[in-house]
Amino acid sequence: MSPPDESSPDGGRDTGPDGSGPVAWVRWFRHTDNGTVVFVREMLESVVVVVAIGLVLFAISGVWPPMVAVESGSMEPQMERGDLIFIVDENRFVPNAAQDGTGVVSYQQGKQSGYKSFNHYGDVIIYRPDGSVYETPIIHRARFWVESGENWYDEANPAYVAGADNCDELPNCPAPHAGFITKGDNNGAYDQVVRISEPVKPSWVRGTAEVKIPWLGHVRLFFSSTGVPSSVQYQPSQPMSNGTQYAPPA
């Protein structure tokens, strides 16, 4: 079947290649001035460029999708709504200060070694709360590591335990298993205190945040608002009854 018969810019009519065979058709498709074909050709070129960029980013990050959109303010001012974040598999480029076997540096370890990410000590991680594939992944900072059965109340910052006076008053204390205690930089309590997630197991971590591109995430958020998934988003901050800001699961 011949392509649409349309006039070329010089007033002629370009109905197809002069010769026959696939080579002639490919050559014609690449060089014709037929308006419809030019439009299709430009669309295909744009798709190829986008796919190529995606493959390069995936090759670097080891994570798909390699870019995620920030949905709200639990990590402000380090990350703001509409920022696009490039993430990398946590085992891709492991810092020397990382917790053994995880590839993640906690705030506590970062403070000891001088390792920083997004203006504070430790890594910002993307994790699935309680390991659930049905919950929206969360972007928060790894604060410190706990072992299974550990009473971590004395290790915690008193400002982030929502007024608890001892381990018995804290959810997830003693720790039900080994993992990271996490918190949004703009939140007033640990995720494990406000029951967003149990201590984050290494297998629940999707990657670490590496680079922020301001504003570009608004495109993904638009698709999210229209019902199209916008990839990983961190959760909106909501006040607890005592005024503490926390990030509830989606």
Side-chain angles (χ1 to χ4, degrees):
M1 182 177 67
S2 298
D5 182 1
E6 294 189 2
S7 297
S8 62
D10 61 6
R13 300 179 70 82
D14 189 351
T15 60
D18 295 333
S20 60
V23 175
W25 278 96
V26 170
R27 185 179 296 114
W28 172 81
F29 181 83
R30 291 179 59 191
H31 300 290
T32 181
D33 291 327
N34 180 292
T36 300
V37 176
V38 169
F39 174 77
V40 172
R41 189 169 64 215
E42 291 177 349
M43 288 292 293
L44 289 175
E45 290 173 351
S46 298
V47 169
V48 168
V49 170
V50 171
V51 170
I53 292 174
L55 290 175
V56 169
L57 292 177
F58 174 68
I60 295 172
S61 72
V63 177
W64 189 263
M67 306 291 286
V68 300
V70 174
E71 189 176 71
S72 66
S74 69
M75 281 297 293
E76 290 180 354
Q78 321 309 330
M79 300 176 184
E80 299 183 0
R81 187 180 190 279
D83 289 346
L84 199 62
I85 307 298
F86 176 63
I87 66 175
V88 171
D89 185 290
E90 69 278 12
N91 295 308
R92 202 73 162 182
F93 310 104
V94 181
N96 292 331
Q99 176 68 35
D100 290 344
T102 71
V104 174
V105 180
S106 70
Y107 178 93
Q108 189 180 76
Q109 293 164 317
K111 191 171 184 180
Q112 294 172 355
S113 64
Y115 175 92
K116 287 188 175 184
S117 176
F118 291 92
N119 300 317
H120 278 304
Y121 296 115
D123 278 319
V124 176
I125 62 174
I126 297 86
Y127 74 89
R128 292 194 176 277
D130 294 328
S132 174
V133 297
Y134 302 106
E135 297 286 350
T136 302
I138 293 173
I139 275 191
H140 279 171
R141 194 176 301 275
R143 298 292 301 194
F144 58 93
W145 176 266
V146 295
E147 298 292 345
S148 178
E150 180 180 344
N151 176 346
W152 51 272
Y153 176 83
D154 293 335
E155 192 173 357
N157 185 324
Y160 304 145
V161 295
D165 292 323
N166 53 58
C167 182
D168 292 338
E169 296 180 6
L170 280 181
N172 297 297
C173 187
H177 53 252
F180 288 103
I181 302 300
T182 54
K183 190 183 81 69
D185 287 359
N186 193 37
N187 290 349
Y190 298 115
D191 298 348
Q192 290 65 37
V193 170
V194 292
R195 302 180 188 275
I196 292 176
S197 175
E198 294 181 350
V200 178
K201 294 180 179 181
S203 60
W204 300 352
V205 178
R206 286 200 53 213
T208 57
E210 300 296 333
V211 178
K212 176 179 75 173
I213 306 174
W215 304 110
L216 289 186
H218 281 293
V219 175
R220 300 189 70 88
L221 296 181
F222 169 78
F223 284 112
S224 176
S225 67
T226 57
V228 179
S230 63
S231 187
V232 181
Q233 303 159 349
Y234 69 67
Q235 313 304 307
S237 297
Q238 298 291 339
M240 294 177 63
S241 58
N242 64 358
T244 301
Q245 295 294 310
Y246 74 104

